[in-house]
Amino acid sequence: MPNLEHPAYPAAALLHLESLVPCRESQVSLLLSIFGERQQFSFPSIFIYGHTSSGKTYVMQTLLNTLKLPHVFVNCVECFTSRLLLEEILIQLQSCSSETEPTSPVPCDTFNDFVRLFKQALVSRGLQDQTLYIVLDRAEQLREMEANILPAFLRLQELTDSNVTVVLLSEIVWELFRPNVGCFDPLTLYFPDYSIGHLQKILSQNHPPEYTADFYAAYINILLGVFYMVCRDLKELRHLAALNFSKYCEPVVRGEANERDTRKLWKNIEPHLKKAMQTVYLREISSSQWERLQHDDGEPGQLKGLSAHTHVELPYYSKFLVIAAYLASYNPVRTDKRFFLKHHGKIKKTNFMKKHEKTSNHLLGPKPFPLDRLLAILYSIVDKRVAPTANIFSQITSLVTLQLLSMVGQNDQLEGPRYKCTVSLDFIRAIAR
Amino acid sequence: GCFVFKPSAKKRKLSQTTAHGFGIRNDDSEDIELRFDTCQSLWNQIKSETEKVQEDLNKQLLDNLVSFLSRSHSEVQEKTTDWTCRMKFREIPTAALVLGVNVTDHDLTFRSLSDFLQNNITPYIALLEAKDCPGIKNLMQKLMGQLMNCYVDVDSLEDEDYVQVSQNRIRCSMSSLIKWYESVTKKTDSETPSKKRTSSSTHWQSPPVVVIFKDMESFTTKVLQDFIVISSQHIHELPLVLIFGIATSPMIIHRLLPHSVSSLLCIELFQSLSCKDHLSTIIDKLLLTTQFPFKLGEKVLQVLINIFLYHDFSVQNFIKGFQLCIVEHFYSQPLSVLCCQLVDLQKRVNSLSHDQCENIRRLPSFRRYVEEQESGKQVALLTTDNFLKEETQKLLEDLHVYHENYVSVLRCLHVFTSSLPKYPLGKQIRELHCACLENQVWETEEYKSSLQLARMLNKSDLVTMLQQCVEILLSSSGKEFDKTVEKLKKFMTQFQNLEEAFQEQDVSVSSQKELQKKTDLYHLQKTLLEMKESRRSKKLTKFEMLRFEVVDYIDSLVRKYLVPADHRTLHEILYFNTAAVLRGHLNAAPRTALHTALNNPYWYLKNQALKGDEGSISNKAPDICIAYKLHLECGRLINLVDWLEAFSTVVMAGEEPNADTASSDQMDDIIHARFIRAVSELELLGFIKPSKQKTDHVARLTWGGC
């Protein structure tokens, strides 16, 4: 077991840190050795990537907090413009080391301003002699901002000429980031997924105070057995564990089984967990509803999930419009005559046709069709005479807003508009009934 | 404009000008002001009634939502120390509100929802629409603008600094939102409770912030995802609740949001009342009631219902259509002044002018009535105004009574027909209502078949139906039903005394048991034949006799009371039945109108010179009409030169051949210019477009010969 060792930091703090980051000791020690001592210059930029909930954010946060390193932590999704991002960094910097009331935020529109203000802030807070860490979480968002933001952050040390290290956290690999030329390549670091053993260890760590650690560990074991196949997200697993634990304890509370009676407990909980996998995990029913169900001991059957309500009630002509749109989207134009005309000619079966019929149109997806074709099919599938009233046209538009149809290429008003049908065959079957 | 709307009286009414506009069309008419006032007060009554109805209908949904909202964050606030709560992931409470495809009605629902929440749960509500939020930035701007303004609304006395801070100065980020929320809630706490309690006594310490997405379907995935991810990170500091307004099905949530995002939500489903039920209630409360003197005729009602069922499912539009009917009725019918409550009737009838009396005499239903009277009375009716007024009042009172009775009996009949298999007369009372208004319902096949079916009802059903009928009739205000109620009650007691009927049935059951014992084919056949014979010859049991009696009695009620309204004298005054006008207003056909205008300009221009048969092309018609008619004769691609040639031939046809070549050259130029203008107008209307396939050609965009 690699114990964390570093001459610059007190051993007690390191020990504490180690207890906080289970299964990530090697990464932490690597990071520590990269960071070096407080006043030493570190690598200008570090890129850490790994799958969802592999502890990137958590490790960085605990590391910086426990060792009390000066840092700024920013989530890039939250700061959706570059201005917000830069200002957020400056604000955090101002309140970082000093207890003084933060002054009103200064407007910072460009990276040039940022560098200037950043240097000022460093001097005024007395941070020149320590490494400042700027952590940008969900850094993939940076790619959508102005083109200069990402390269500039990578070279922030050089630009500001001060002791600063930028840490980028992301779920995707560096290769997808790299701007074209002249970019400083950061040091990349990979956080591997937690293995089932790791998950077991981490999840069992915080057990409820009423029960022993062993009892909870056994429960986690069962839980992982059910859910590991579909979900490796630590957060989600912890959430599920908390949701279902009371059910697991039920026999013990009632006195029917003691804490060691694993087999009995397993029999009790397993079907319940399977049901949870089909409902709560998919967010078919909400977790609060699930808890209430557990409480009342009701059958989840009474409570229909979201997917149960697929039926959409549509006005009479809207139904026909959707059906007509579906037909227009999935049938080739040349078959229209055959299907919708009373006196169509003989069906010629050519080799050419046969070859094409083999690939199902459903595999190819919907094709766009002009408005007139939609109306022509509508007239032929509705029994009665349909007047092309304003209501029919407005229904087409409202179907577009309902996302049942979608408009293709809406540049020219005079050009006949073209649509696509976006609903599935099942939907059409349901409304055609 | 392609559809020529007559200057509708509605606009005039909405602008609250005086009633002078009402008289424009009917210059002979009188009582304009009175008619206008009657119309207004009637509409106000109806409006408040509909609002009440809708409030009641929404109540259930709103109550559910409120309990969800109050539950959502209070739980967490109560037991933050609990182990499960600490371990559990804080999800954003989300209400998925399935509202149905009638998008036009949603606004009203959301408005009442936000009012209701404002009064009961929280002052912090933001309503977001997809069209305002193409990006996350716009969404945050909109959200913060709405939230902070609503704060200013709550207590506008102080906080000058908040008002001062202009929209642009506030940093549109979640952190400033949180800061704002903290400052607001802290202020509420610290202030003197007595003053604060009065204004927001129903809100708690930290009320949730409700964000309503009005049209979930139209939001882009990216915006929603970003917003949810951001807000889930701050759920601890900012108790946020989301409400998704969904028009189609809740599956859209899964389609829009990936699992990683939807797992941040704690979604509960709420369903609003289906719009068809909503409509039924509205019809029940507005039409099948004696509260309002104004009624809809069959055709008009059919138009409104058809628009609802075939086109939009929108209850709002139905009510708007109803309003249009009222306005149109009072606008076009001078006698509508008599369409008032019974208490005012006498005064209004007495103050009728001579012209109005003539108007009454001109009514077709009144003429029919006069013809039925003996000659002395005929003369009196046609010559003496005072006698006519007396008679009119009597007839109108009769009409009111007729309507009262009609509604009660209609409901009784509905009790019977709605329980029959396959519903020959319709499941909903509105269908039955339409059928009864259309013509004499007892003449129809459907009625006959439903009577047939009613004769086969079993005893318990019949008794419960009779019970329901008695209740309906007792609750109705009609005075004539005392006897009917007695009769129905007698039937019920007779049914109860029919114990012996069962014993006979027992006999038949035992014969069937015998039948099961038979194994021999021959014997079986014989017994079956015997049974058939006996059944045919067997005279009706007492129960069956009674059943026949009941059904016949109901039939007699129907024949007596459910006479169609247009068979009644003076029905024109209370019933609005000009469906064509309504259809023109509500269900316009732009393509047809455009075609009519171009093909037959006389229809709209009313110029005598244009009158003529439709087939030929007159040179008096506007240029665009000539060009249009010529282009109808062409194929998919039209040669411009040929077209011009034809155009000039038509235009020149009427003029005498001019020998002077110089002037004809000039003429050509003018014709050429006119032609070009006509063609470009047609292009603007979307009939043709320039084609790239052939030079000097344009492509036709319409198909067929129209």
Side-chain angles (χ1 to χ4, degrees):
Chain A
M1 191 169 165
N3 267 321
L4 294 181
E5 280 177 4
H6 204 277
Y9 306 104
L14 287 177
L15 212 64
H16 180 57
L17 178 65
E18 194 181 330
S19 70
L20 284 177
V21 286
C23 317
R24 281 282 174 257
E25 293 86 359
S26 61
Q27 280 84 5
V28 171
S29 77
L30 182 60
L31 274 173
L32 277 181
S33 51
I34 296 169
F35 285 175
E37 289 173 34
R38 275 173 194 275
Q39 72 286 359
Q40 286 170 343
F41 271 66
S42 169
F43 207 76
S45 48
I46 302 168
F47 180 83
I48 300 175
Y49 70 102
H51 211 264
T52 320
S53 73
S54 49
K56 304 177 292 292
T57 313
Y58 174 73
V59 165
M60 270 323 279
Q61 231 157 4
T62 5
L63 175 63
L64 295 172
N65 280 332
T66 27
L67 298 183
K68 296 196 178 58
L69 300 171
H71 66 276
V72 170
F73 208 98
V74 188
N75 188 328
C76 294
V77 182
E78 210 183 311
C79 307
F80 35 86
T81 62
S82 59
R83 188 186 147 161
L84 276 181
L85 178 67
L86 300 178
E87 284 180 358
E88 180 68 31
I89 294 174
L90 288 175
I91 289 170
Q92 284 198 25
L93 192 58
Q94 275 172 349
S95 56
C96 172
S97 58
S98 65
E99 300 305 311
T100 54
E101 192 68 13
T103 49
S104 59
V106 264
C108 173
D109 279 322
T110 62
F111 211 89
N112 204 8
D113 286 341
F114 174 72
V115 171
R116 182 171 54 82
L117 292 165
F118 182 76
K119 275 204 257 185
Q120 278 174 15
L122 276 188
V123 173
S124 64
R125 304 287 159 220
L127 292 170
Q128 304 100 306
D129 53 346
Q130 295 183 46
T131 315
L132 177 77
Y133 296 94
I134 298 180
V135 187
L136 302 175
D137 199 0
R138 318 252 331 203
E140 58 269 15
Q141 296 287 328
L142 288 178
R143 298 180 301 170
E144 271 141 52
M145 295 181 189
E146 287 88 334
N148 67 334
I149 297 287
L150 180 60
F153 267 120
L154 293 173
R155 284 177 189 272
L156 194 62
Q157 198 175 73
E158 195 179 319
L159 288 170
T160 57
D161 195 21
S162 49
N163 191 354
V164 59
T165 292
V166 177
V167 183
L168 303 172
L169 305 180
S170 175
E171 285 175 18
I172 54 179
V173 293
W174 171 245
E175 279 65 31
L176 295 170
F177 271 79
R178 201 201 306 268
N180 34 24
V181 276
C183 158
F184 183 84
D185 266 344
L187 188 74
T188 54
L189 206 66
Y190 174 61
F191 274 39
D193 282 354
Y194 289 118
S195 69
I196 187 162
H198 288 158
L199 286 174
Q200 166 88 45
K201 190 173 166 195
I202 297 167
L203 283 171
S204 329
Q205 210 168 35
N206 16 24
H207 58 91
E210 302 92 349
Y211 296 95
T212 61
D214 284 347
F215 178 65
Y216 191 67
Y219 166 66
I220 291 297
N221 199 8
I222 295 170
L223 185 89
L224 281 177
V226 176
F227 280 101
Y228 187 70
M229 293 301 286
V230 291
C231 173
R232 298 180 186 193
D233 188 332
L234 186 60
K235 270 187 226 151
E236 187 73 23
L237 282 171
R238 185 182 298 172
H239 180 66
L240 287 167
L243 274 185
N244 296 308
F245 187 59
S246 64
K247 181 85 183 173
Y248 182 71
C249 298
E250 242 172 38
V252 181
V253 173
R254 279 203 302 260
E256 287 168 12
N258 66 11
E259 291 194 9
R260 302 196 175 284
D261 210 347
T262 343
R263 197 178 152 67
K264 203 166 187 179
L265 290 172
W266 179 77
K267 270 206 165 157
N268 174 43
I269 195 71
E270 214 232 351
H272 186 74
L273 287 179
K274 287 221 165 116
K275 211 169 270 166
M277 187 159 76
Q278 285 156 12
T279 52
V280 194
Y281 172 64
L282 294 175
R283 292 305 188 273
E284 284 288 304
I285 65 175
S286 71
S287 25
S288 59
Q289 278 172 325
W290 179 252
E291 277 191 319
R292 249 173 290 145
L293 269 182
Q294 247 172 43
H295 219 260
D296 309 339
D297 236 0
E299 270 296 299
Q302 311 151 358
L303 207 87
K304 279 192 194 156
L306 291 180
S307 323
H309 302 263
T310 46
H311 185 63
V312 179
E313 222 175 330
L314 286 173
Y316 186 76
Y317 284 135
S318 295
K319 276 186 194 171
F320 278 102
L321 275 171
V322 175
I323 295 170
Y326 188 80
L327 292 173
S329 261
Y330 287 98
N331 284 338
V333 185
R334 61 195 159 76
T335 59
D336 279 3
K337 215 174 179 180
R338 204 169 96 201
F339 290 148
F340 303 118
L341 229 57
K342 283 218 175 82
H343 309 288
H344 57 78
K346 262 190 178 172
I347 305 159
K348 285 181 213 157
K349 270 194 181 168
T350 56
N351 283 336
F352 167 78
M353 215 166 119
K354 266 186 188 162
K355 203 170 84 187
H356 265 263
E357 231 81 317
K358 271 177 194 159
T359 47
S360 163
N361 279 317
H362 290 280
L363 293 178
L364 298 172
K367 288 183 198 65
F369 53 88
L371 174 66
D372 285 337
R373 191 170 161 227
L374 173 70
L375 290 178
I377 295 179
L378 175 74
Y379 297 148
S380 77
I381 60 174
V382 180
D383 292 336
K384 284 176 272 179
R385 244 183 80 78
V386 194
T389 60
N391 275 327
I392 298 271
F393 295 115
S394 69
Q395 272 181 63
I396 298 177
T397 326
S398 54
L399 288 177
V400 173
T401 35
L402 294 181
Q403 305 264 301
L404 300 177
L405 306 184
S406 73
M407 208 159 177
V408 190
Q410 44 200 342
N411 36 19
D412 192 2
Q413 286 292 314
L414 287 182
E415 208 84 42
R418 296 166 73 78
Y419 298 94
K420 253 184 195 182
C421 183
T422 54
V423 297
S424 64
L425 183 61
D426 293 337
F427 184 90
I428 291 291
R429 282 215 180 102
I431 64 165
R433 208 169 284 142
Chain B
C2 43
F3 10 177
V4 180
F5 269 104
K6 287 178 209 102
S8 141
K10 191 171 152 193
K11 271 181 203 143
R12 221 163 281 131
K13 205 192 82 141
L14 289 177
S15 56
Q16 297 293 323
T17 52
T18 52
H20 295 300
F22 247 57
I24 287 178
R25 205 163 75 183
N26 321 293
D27 33 10
D28 59 324
S29 76
E30 327 239 324
D31 311 313
I32 301 160
E33 306 245 343
L34 190 56
R35 264 198 282 152
F36 181 72
D37 288 345
T38 322
C39 173
Q40 285 247 329
S41 70
L42 177 67
W43 169 242
N44 286 337
Q45 272 177 37
I46 289 178
K47 205 173 130 194
S48 63
E49 178 72 23
T50 46
E51 274 164 11
K52 218 174 78 204
V53 169
Q54 277 165 344
E55 220 169 84
D56 290 349
L57 289 178
N58 278 334
K59 192 154 181 4
Q60 175 77 41
L61 175 73
L62 292 182
D63 284 347
N64 286 348
L65 263 175
V66 164
S67 72
F68 166 74
L69 287 179
S70 47
R71 202 169 51 220
S72 57
H73 280 287
S74 63
E75 272 175 16
V76 186
Q77 279 162 5
E78 274 165 24
K79 38 175 189 181
T80 35
T81 47
D82 192 20
W83 173 81
T84 16
C85 279
R86 220 174 53 234
M87 291 303 294
K88 235 175 5 186
F89 185 72
R90 267 298 279 284
E91 292 165 312
I92 309 173
T94 307
L97 195 57
V98 181
L99 291 164
V101 292
N102 43 338
V103 185
T104 30
D105 294 353
H106 292 184
D107 250 0
L108 195 82
T109 317
F110 281 123
R111 213 176 315 135
S112 59
L113 172 66
S114 71
D115 284 351
F116 199 73
L117 293 183
Q118 205 124 44
N119 293 331
N120 290 303
I121 301 278
T122 170
Y124 314 119
I125 296 170
L127 274 158
L128 299 176
E129 265 179 283
K131 66 172 191 291
D132 300 328
C133 313
I136 179 78
K137 194 170 151 193
N138 312 68
L139 188 143
M140 289 301 286
Q141 246 165 11
K142 201 88 196 155
L143 177 70
M144 293 179 70
Q146 286 193 20
L147 285 177
M148 293 181 175
N149 273 340
C150 90
Y151 170 73
V152 172
D153 279 347
V154 166
D155 43 354
S156 47
L157 357 155
E158 59 248 292
D159 305 310
E160 285 299 304
D161 50 344
Y162 261 101
V163 187
Q164 272 172 12
V165 176
S166 70
Q167 276 300 301
N168 291 335
R169 289 299 306 133
I170 303 170
R171 296 177 69 252
C172 283
S173 70
M174 211 57 174
S175 53
S176 45
L177 195 61
I178 290 162
K179 237 174 259 159
W180 162 81
Y181 182 78
E182 272 169 7
S183 73
V184 172
T185 42
K186 211 186 288 163
K187 204 167 282 168
T188 326
D189 288 347
S190 61
E191 250 161 76
T192 46
S194 60
K195 185 191 144 209
K196 213 58 212 176
R197 288 303 118 192
T198 51
S199 66
S200 58
S201 53
T202 44
H203 306 147
W204 325 295
Q205 296 270 300
S206 48
V209 176
V210 180
V211 181
I212 303 176
F213 293 88
K214 276 177 152 181
D215 41 353
M216 177 81 173
E217 280 91 352
S218 312
F219 276 91
T220 51
T221 316
K222 177 103 177 49
V223 171
L224 276 180
Q225 276 184 38
D226 282 355
F227 181 71
I228 291 169
V229 168
I230 294 172
S231 37
S232 84
Q233 257 152 20
H234 295 284
I235 188 76
H236 291 275
E237 297 125 79
L238 188 70
L240 204 66
V241 180
L242 307 181
I243 296 180
F244 292 152
I246 296 172
T248 49
S249 76
M251 283 299 281
I252 194 82
I253 297 177
H254 290 313
R255 239 167 66 186
L256 280 175
L257 303 174
H259 181 250
S260 61
V261 176
S262 66
S263 65
L264 302 174
L265 301 175
C266 170
I267 308 165
E268 267 186 58
L269 194 66
F270 296 89
Q271 214 143 10
S272 74
L273 193 70
S274 104
C275 50
K276 283 183 183 167
D277 296 347
H278 195 159
L279 181 78
S280 301
T281 324
I282 291 283
I283 287 182
D284 205 52
K285 288 272 155 47
L286 291 188
L287 301 181
L288 301 177
T289 166
T290 51
Q291 209 179 342
F292 310 111
F294 174 80
K295 275 110 195 168
L296 290 181
E298 185 267 330
K299 289 207 189 78
V300 171
L301 183 59
Q302 202 68 58
V303 169
L304 288 180
I305 290 179
N306 279 355
I307 289 179
F308 178 85
L309 288 179
Y310 284 2
H311 293 294
D312 54 8
F313 269 176
S314 165
V315 179
Q316 282 314 300
N317 283 355
F318 183 85
I319 293 168
K320 282 266 149 53
F322 187 58
Q323 186 186 9
L324 184 67
C325 292
I326 295 173
V327 173
E328 187 66 38
H329 180 67
F330 281 92
Y331 172 62
S332 59
Q333 175 61 268
L335 286 170
S336 59
V337 69
L338 297 179
C339 183
C340 60
Q341 302 289 352
L342 268 179
V343 274
D344 302 330
L345 189 64
Q346 188 168 12
K347 214 174 73 200
R348 292 199 181 183
V349 169
N350 285 334
S351 62
L352 284 182
S353 67
H354 176 67
D355 284 347
Q356 287 282 52
C357 291
E358 285 301 311
N359 276 335
I360 294 180
R361 286 180 188 127
R362 254 178 255 136
L363 291 179
S365 69
F366 186 74
R367 273 198 240 150
R368 238 183 296 143
Y369 172 73
V370 170
E371 276 158 25
E372 284 162 14
Q373 309 301 315
E374 77 257 24
S375 59
K377 203 176 173 188
Q378 278 186 357
V379 174
L381 279 174
L382 293 177
T383 53
T384 325
D385 279 359
N386 279 338
F387 184 65
L388 174 78
K389 282 177 188 173
E390 275 173 32
E391 195 68 17
T392 307
Q393 188 178 349
K394 217 173 79 219
L395 285 171
L396 280 175
E397 277 166 8
D398 279 354
L399 202 55
H400 278 276
V401 171
Y402 152 78
H403 186 75
E404 270 174 26
N405 297 339
Y406 174 89
V407 171
S408 309
V409 176
L410 185 75
R411 284 185 201 278
C412 289
L413 182 60
H414 181 241
V415 168
F416 277 89
T417 55
S418 62
S419 58
L420 298 176
K422 283 199 193 158
Y423 312 105
L425 275 169
K427 198 175 180 179
Q428 304 281 348
I429 196 165
R430 57 163 189 263
E431 294 162 279
L432 191 64
H433 181 48
C434 282
C436 290
L437 281 178
E438 194 180 1
N439 43 32
Q440 292 166 334
V441 72
W442 55 89
E443 301 283 318
T444 58
E445 279 302 310
E446 291 86 3
Y447 181 76
K448 280 171 192 158
S449 68
S450 41
L451 277 196
Q452 286 288 332
L453 289 169
R455 290 201 178 101
M456 288 182 243
L457 288 168
N458 64 21
K459 188 187 143 199
S460 62
D461 282 357
L462 260 179
V463 172
T464 48
M465 280 175 202
L466 286 176
Q467 183 63 44
Q468 277 172 320
C469 288
V470 168
E471 273 160 24
I472 290 168
L473 292 178
L474 281 178
S475 65
S476 87
S477 48
K479 288 142 198 103
E480 294 178 25
F481 290 125
D482 294 346
K483 260 199 199 136
T484 321
V485 170
E486 255 173 52
K487 182 91 178 157
L488 290 177
K489 279 187 176 161
K490 213 178 89 198
F491 280 134
M492 277 157 64
T493 45
Q494 275 176 327
F495 273 120
Q496 260 136 35
N497 297 336
L498 267 181
E499 286 304 309
E500 60 268 42
F502 285 111
Q503 282 159 8
E504 265 176 80
Q505 277 180 351
D506 284 346
V507 176
S508 67
V509 167
S510 64
S511 76
Q512 268 180 359
K513 265 182 195 153
E514 238 171 86
L515 194 142
Q516 280 162 356
K517 276 184 229 158
K518 296 277 193 285
T519 45
D520 183 4
L521 191 66
Y522 171 72
H523 280 283
L524 183 75
Q525 207 171 12
K526 212 169 128 193
T527 25
L528 272 176
L529 275 175
E530 268 168 20
M531 275 174 67
K532 205 173 165 191
E533 280 299 303
S534 71
R535 198 167 294 164
R536 198 176 288 163
S537 61
K538 194 169 63 181
K539 72 180 204 323
L540 301 168
T541 63
K542 275 191 182 163
F543 167 70
E544 282 165 332
M545 298 274 278
L546 196 56
R547 192 162 61 181
F548 271 73
E549 233 174 280
V550 170
V551 173
D552 286 345
Y553 184 69
I554 296 290
D555 186 38
S556 73
L557 279 182
V558 167
R559 278 164 200 266
K560 189 172 169 199
Y561 292 108
L562 294 188
V563 184
D566 41 3
H567 287 225
R568 306 288 304 198
T569 315
L570 295 184
H571 70 89
E572 289 94 337
I573 294 178
L574 301 189
Y575 286 81
F576 177 71
N577 216 357
T578 37
V581 178
L582 194 70
R583 206 175 291 134
H585 282 315
L586 294 182
N587 204 1
R591 281 193 178 188
T592 324
L594 203 58
H595 178 73
T596 322
L598 292 171
N599 208 26
N600 184 13
Y602 174 74
W603 183 264
Y604 290 115
L605 295 177
K606 304 285 181 210
N607 186 344
Q608 285 305 320
L610 298 173
K611 210 169 176 181
D613 81 303
E614 277 184 42
S616 70
I617 306 172
S618 153
N619 63 327
K620 304 269 191 335
D623 292 342
I624 186 172
C625 298
I626 299 173
Y628 176 76
K629 280 195 183 178
L630 290 170
H631 113 284
L632 286 184
E633 291 162 10
C634 301
R636 178 129 192 91
L637 285 175
I638 306 168
N639 187 337
L640 278 171
V641 181
D642 292 350
W643 199 3
L644 172 62
E645 203 70 21
F647 182 78
S648 78
T649 320
V650 171
V651 171
M652 298 293 283
E655 265 139 76
E656 57 265 33
N658 206 333
D660 194 355
T661 46
S663 78
S664 83
D665 264 359
Q666 206 187 352
M667 202 62 157
D668 262 348
D669 280 351
I670 292 174
I671 288 175
H672 197 176
R674 282 165 63 184
F675 173 72
I676 288 174
R677 196 171 78 171
V679 169
S680 58
E681 277 171 354
L682 281 181
E683 189 182 337
L684 189 69
L685 288 174
F687 286 102
I688 52 170
K689 68 169 183 183
S691 143
K692 278 172 195 148
Q693 292 170 21
K694 270 182 178 175
T695 47
D696 296 347
H697 281 66
V698 288
R700 247 182 94 175
L701 290 172
T702 49
W703 26 259
C706 285

